[in-house]
Structure formats: C-alpha cells, structure tokens
C-alpha cells in the first residue's frame, strides 16, 4: 500500500525543552511519522518541497530515519523551510510563533501532481491547502476528485494562514466533498460551521454521508461518524506536558489501524492511546 501525506515540514524550535531544542515537524509530517510507526509494512511517502540548504538535508534525513519515504520531496533552489517556535503554559497548552510566509512548501504542485500518481491513500489537511496559492489549491481539489486514491482530510483550521474566513470555509467545504475518511477536530469545525455543540457538528458530518473517520473532541475522546459504532471508553491522559501533535498523532494511529483492517472502535482506542502518549512528552515527535 502506497500512502502519500502531503503538506509542509517545518523546523521546530522548543526553547523550554531540556537537551535538543531543534526538531522537525508539521501537521501532516507528524501524521506520516506516527502512521509509519503503526503500519511499517506500508510505503508511507511525504510529499513536500524543501530547500537546497543544509538544514533541509538534515530534515530529509530525519524523515527517512522515521521510516517515511522522501522520494516525493522536491527541492527549491532559493527558498528555505518554514520555522515555528513552541511555548507551553502550566497546563501543557501550547502556542506557536511562525516564520513561514516564504517557505519552500508554498511552491508545492506548481508543476502539477505527478507526486500523487500511483498512491492508494492521500492524506492532507487544511493547512496544506492554506499555504498554496488559490489556483493551485483549487486544482488540487479537482485532481483529488478524479483520483482513484482514498482521500483522508483533517480541517486543521488556522485563520492566520487564510486570506479570510469566507475563503477558508469555501475551500474546506470543497475538500470535504472529495474526502473519503474525515478526521476533523471539533474546535476547528465549530469555528467554521458556527455550531456551539459537538453533537451538532457530528450531525452535520453524518448528514453529509460520512461513515469513516471521527470527530476529535480533545480529552473527551473522538466521536465516530458511523452511527452503528460504539466508541471505546477513553481513559483520561495521566500526564499532560505538551499538547502539540495530539490530533496529528491520533490521525496517524487511527489510519494505521483501519488501513490494516481494524474495526472502527479498535482504531479509535489505539488512536486515543497514541495521543495520550504524545501529550505526555514535549514536542511533536516523541521517541519510539
């Protein structure tokens, strides 16, 4: 099975971390790594654009070291990877500062979508769409509508990345229309859809016909879209240090499970445990 995770890889600065304070992460890269860990038999490829600099080379080596393929990564002659810094409060909630406006990843798919050919599964997020020029993101959604792959989407809604809220809502709605497995977070969807209750968001997705995937609701666990599935009991996280990549790691573990034939309930349980393990340690990528 060939799986493409599409998006931006960034340099992660974590000044509060003891020891190594520089890492590599990004929402779809995080998912790719946890997916590869949970499904080592699959060929998980990361699709992005990096620079031609030494830091890009180190990042690419790191990606390979995590069992994620780099054959679909291209390199820009002049641009560099984006950078972000993490700050966490006493409860482990994180905030970010970004330097990414001229990142190499913003040139992804300028020459077409050859990197996606032959893929069985394509995973992307709204961050992937937001960093692309409007015409490229529109053509990408059109391409996904015609592609034979299973499309997996997470509406990671980051308002600062979009031209305006109306554009974000329209684009993300179009992405849902070509999606087979939906993995949204409740806060993102309430911000986009205007609901004030997770149950209302769940009703919207079920009315749209989604039966694969789940609505992530933070510490409360995830609500399956398939109304016939009973969610497993979600134990509270025993320790919260840094919530970075909680949803990304959930997505990776969930996909690793369902793509190997696990039931929805089992996949949700595994994904919840993975997210709990990630938020117990600093940074997006925890040790194996």
């Amino acid at each position: 099975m060939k799986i493409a995770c599409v998006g931006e890889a960034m340099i992660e600065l974590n000044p509060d971390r003891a020891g190594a304070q520089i890492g590599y992460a990004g929402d779809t890269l995080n998912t790719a790594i946890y997916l590869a860990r949970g499904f080592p038999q699959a060929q998980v490829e990361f699709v992005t654009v990096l620079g031609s600099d030494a830091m890009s080379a180190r990042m690419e080596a790191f990606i390979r070291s995590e069992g994620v393929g780099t054959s679909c990564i291209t390199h820009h002659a002049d641009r560099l990877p984006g950078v972000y810094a993490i700050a966490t409060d006493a409860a482990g909630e994180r905030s970010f500062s970004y330097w990414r406006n001229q990142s190499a990843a913003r040139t992804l798919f300028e020459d077409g979508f050859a990197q996606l050919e032959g893929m069985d599964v394509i995973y992307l997020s709204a961050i992937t769409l937001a960093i692309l020029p409007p015409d490229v993101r529109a053509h990408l959604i059109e391409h996904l509508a015609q592609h034979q792959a299973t499309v997996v989407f997470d509406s990671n809604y980051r308002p600062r990345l979009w031209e305006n809220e109306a554009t974000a809502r329209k684009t993300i709605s179009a992405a849902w229309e070509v999606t087979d497995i939906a993995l949204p977070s409740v806060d993102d969807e309430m911000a986009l859809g205007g609901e004030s209750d997770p149950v209302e968001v769940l009703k919207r997705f079920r009315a749209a016909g989604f039966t694969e995937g789940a609505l992530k609701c933070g510490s409360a666990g995830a609500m399956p879209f398939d109304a016939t599935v009973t969610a497993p009991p979600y134990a509270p996280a025993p320790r919260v240090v840094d919530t970075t990549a909680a949803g990304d790691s959930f997505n990776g573990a969930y996909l690793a499970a369902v793509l190997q034939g696990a039931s929805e309930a089992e996949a949700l349980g595994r994904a919840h445990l993975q997210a709990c393990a990630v938020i117990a340690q600093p940074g997006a990528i925890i040790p194996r």
Side-chain angles (χ1 to χ4, degrees):
M1 182 179 292
K2 296 182 67 175
I3 306 169
C5 294
V6 185
E8 182 177 26
M10 303 182 72
I11 299 166
E12 177 189 85
L13 305 179
N14 195 334
D16 296 329
R17 179 192 298 171
Q21 296 178 336
I22 296 178
Y24 309 105
D27 68 329
T28 56
L29 175 59
N30 302 338
T31 294
I33 289 172
Y34 291 110
L35 171 54
R37 290 183 182 184
F39 192 2
Q41 299 84 0
Q43 181 181 341
V44 180
E45 294 282 343
F46 190 60
V47 180
T48 194
V49 182
L50 298 179
S52 300
D53 57 293
M55 189 63 78
S56 292
R58 293 190 185 101
M59 182 186 295
E60 191 167 341
F62 166 76
I63 293 171
R64 285 195 298 271
S65 76
E66 285 289 348
V68 176
T70 58
S71 63
C72 295
I73 293 177
T74 59
H75 298 85
H76 197 282
D78 303 313
R79 295 197 183 198
L80 302 173
V83 179
Y84 75 99
I86 300 175
T88 53
D89 63 19
E93 286 299 325
R94 80 284 196 213
S95 59
F96 302 104
S97 299
Y98 292 98
W99 298 265
R100 73 195 307 179
N101 288 343
Q102 295 299 316
S103 74
R106 289 180 177 267
T107 66
L108 183 60
F109 299 134
E110 282 187 347
D111 298 323
F113 305 104
Q115 294 139 293
L116 302 180
E117 294 311 308
M119 295 296 174
D120 300 300
V121 179
I122 299 173
Y123 172 82
L124 72 161
S125 75
I127 292 177
T128 308
L129 297 175
I131 66 170
L132 299 176
D135 60 331
V136 177
R137 72 169 71 121
H139 291 151
L140 174 57
I141 293 173
E142 292 172 1
H143 182 78
L144 293 175
Q146 300 168 7
H147 204 292
Q148 295 300 308
T150 296
V151 177
V152 188
F153 185 66
D154 180 354
S155 57
N156 261 344
Y157 176 46
R158 302 295 180 264
R160 291 183 181 181
L161 290 178
W162 292 93
E163 298 91 325
N164 51 63
E165 185 176 320
T167 299
R169 186 178 296 109
K170 180 180 178 180
T171 304
I172 291 170
S173 294
W176 285 131
E177 291 179 4
V178 303
T179 296
D180 300 296
I181 300 176
L183 291 168
S185 294
V186 68
D187 290 342
D188 295 336
E189 287 304 316
M190 288 195 296
L192 288 164
E195 298 95 346
S196 59
D197 184 275
V199 174
E200 294 303 312
V201 178
L202 186 68
K203 287 180 180 178
R204 169 159 57 90
F205 275 84
R206 286 178 173 173
F210 283 102
T211 58
E212 294 185 88
L215 179 65
K216 301 190 295 288
C217 299
S219 60
M223 304 167 71
F225 290 131
D226 187 340
T228 68
V229 173
T230 300
Y234 296 117
R239 183 168 179 251
V240 179
V241 172
D242 180 358
T243 58
T244 304
D248 305 333
S249 61
F250 180 102
N251 293 352
Y254 172 89
L255 288 173
V258 297
L259 293 176
Q260 293 178 91
S263 68
E264 285 287 316
E266 182 178 356
L268 292 172
R270 291 186 195 178
H272 180 76
L273 290 175
Q274 178 68 84
C276 287
V278 168
I279 65 177
Q281 300 188 50
I285 308 300
I286 64 172
R288 292 176 183 269

